Amino acid sequence: MAAEILDGRALAADLREDVAARAKRLRGRGIAPCLTVAIIGEDAGSLGYVRSIERAGASTGVDVRVSALPATAGEETLRALLRTLGDDPLVHGIILQQPLPSHLAIRRLAEAMPPHKDVDGTNPINLGRLAFASGTEFVPATPMACLLLLGRSKRWPLRGARACVVGRSNVVGLPVALLLTARDATVTIVHRGTRDLAHQTRDAEVLVTAAGVPGLIRAEHVAPGATVIDVGTTFVGGKLVGDVAYDEVAAVAGEITPVPGGVGPVTNVALMQNVVLAAERASG
Ligand code: ADP
């Protein structure tokens, strides 16, 4: 039996209505919710992502500005930019687009991200807050999108579910694992160092994969009937592909997110939701 598709575009359309209504209310009070994306250099993937953020902004009523710095910009320049944006009352949310050029270390810059405008959860303070389950200021957009899609799945609520997260990055894998744990799932994190990946993933009722390795997850990695959330996005020959070998996995899984059209569109709306939230907070 073929898996049911967890349709990210449909979910994004539903979420967009609420976000757009809140943005409109803010505008009615003279406040234009505004996201600034700081981008350093010209990474092709990043530029594509920025365009999709601009589209999501246009469709929700959030202004998206881009602060572009040359690939040679130093750490101090970037810190100064983050300070300036932090102090600017017209800017409500800030993203520091990754990957950074190799001479810049995200670990050193992340702390300079103003926490109250950190809509993608870059500052370690916000990652730490996720560990508290409640009291989170901003749930980063991609992990949030995974949870929102699971909210539409037959696994919801996740209490007691066996979940496996492929990848342990600070941007996706780790925060997803924290969010699933907070929802009372039993979570295993696997990564590059894991021996016998399939042995671990095959045990999962919920499989979230964020490795950025096209085709990593094959049918043999997936339990019959499992819910599969594919966060991986890699450009291969100009085409966006996920971590999941879609056709063969869709034949065994119970539910699956496509790439494109799964996590991506929901992520963009989740991001705008955070910007609107930041603007609401800033304006009391
Ligand atoms: P992202 O930002 O999407 O999370 P990263 O490149 O930062 O992507 O992280 C990729 C994650 O995927 C890492 O935690 C890494 O250990 C994991 N990973 C990469 N390749 C494999 C693999 N072949 N098997 C299992 N995990 C992998």
Side-chain angles (χ1 to χ4, degrees):
M1 212 185 78
E4 275 184 40
I5 291 174
L6 290 171
D7 184 345
R9 291 200 180 103
L11 175 54
D14 288 354
L15 298 169
R16 203 176 286 128
E17 269 183 42
D18 171 64
V19 178
R22 285 161 65 187
K24 198 170 167 198
R25 274 199 292 280
L26 282 163
R27 285 180 183 272
R29 294 164 49 206
I31 300 153
C34 174
L35 170 69
T36 295
V37 184
I39 179 163
I40 303 94
E42 310 221 320
D43 176 77
S46 291
L47 293 172
Y49 181 56
V50 169
R51 276 192 296 277
S52 76
I53 293 177
E54 286 172 334
R55 281 196 297 274
S59 70
T60 47
V62 172
D63 292 345
V64 175
R65 295 189 202 159
V66 177
S67 275
L69 292 179
T72 50
E75 188 176 312
E76 211 22 70
T77 309
L78 218 64
R79 282 177 184 277
L81 173 65
L82 291 173
R83 264 197 307 277
T84 306
L85 295 172
D87 291 341
D88 185 344
L90 298 180
V91 174
H92 304 104
I94 307 168
I95 297 183
L96 181 54
Q97 184 54 39
Q98 296 181 53
L100 297 170
S102 57
H103 67 281
L104 295 169
I106 184 65
R107 196 186 58 74
R108 292 170 54 86
L109 282 164
E111 289 174 25
M113 173 65 76
H116 61 298
K117 299 189 181 183
D118 182 21
V119 288
D120 212 16
T122 299
N123 191 305
I125 287 180
N126 282 329
L127 185 56
R129 281 182 177 142
L130 277 185
F132 286 84
S134 62
T136 305
E137 208 155 341
F138 298 108
V139 179
T142 304
M144 183 65 171
C146 294
L147 263 280
L148 289 166
L149 281 157
L150 285 169
R152 290 265 167 121
S153 80
K154 63 179 182 185
R155 303 287 169 192
W156 199 260
L158 298 175
R159 188 176 180 80
R162 286 191 309 281
C164 181
V165 181
V166 184
R168 59 181 160 183
S169 78
N170 290 343
V171 208
V172 189
L174 209 55
V176 167
L178 289 170
L179 291 170
L180 294 172
T181 306
R183 291 286 178 173
D184 296 324
T186 301
V187 182
T188 305
I189 303 175
V190 297
H191 45 75
R192 236 181 230 110
T194 298
R195 227 182 300 127
D196 198 352
L197 185 69
H199 175 75
Q200 300 293 337
T201 54
R202 226 176 13 230
D203 192 42
E205 296 162 294
V206 172
L207 180 59
V208 181
T209 173
V213 181
L216 176 68
I217 303 300
R218 314 280 311 254
E220 74 202 48
H221 293 88
V222 178
T227 298
V228 180
I229 308 288
D230 189 355
V231 187
T233 45
T234 312
F235 276 100
V236 179
K239 231 181 107 201
L240 199 61
V241 293
D243 288 349
V244 173
Y246 188 85
D247 291 340
E248 62 178 70
V249 169
V252 286
E255 297 172 299
I256 190 167
T257 59
V259 175
V263 176
V266 184
T267 296
N268 289 340
V269 184
L271 182 62
M272 296 310 151
Q273 192 171 311
N274 276 347
V275 178
V276 166
L277 180 63
E280 287 168 349
R281 282 186 185 145
S283 66

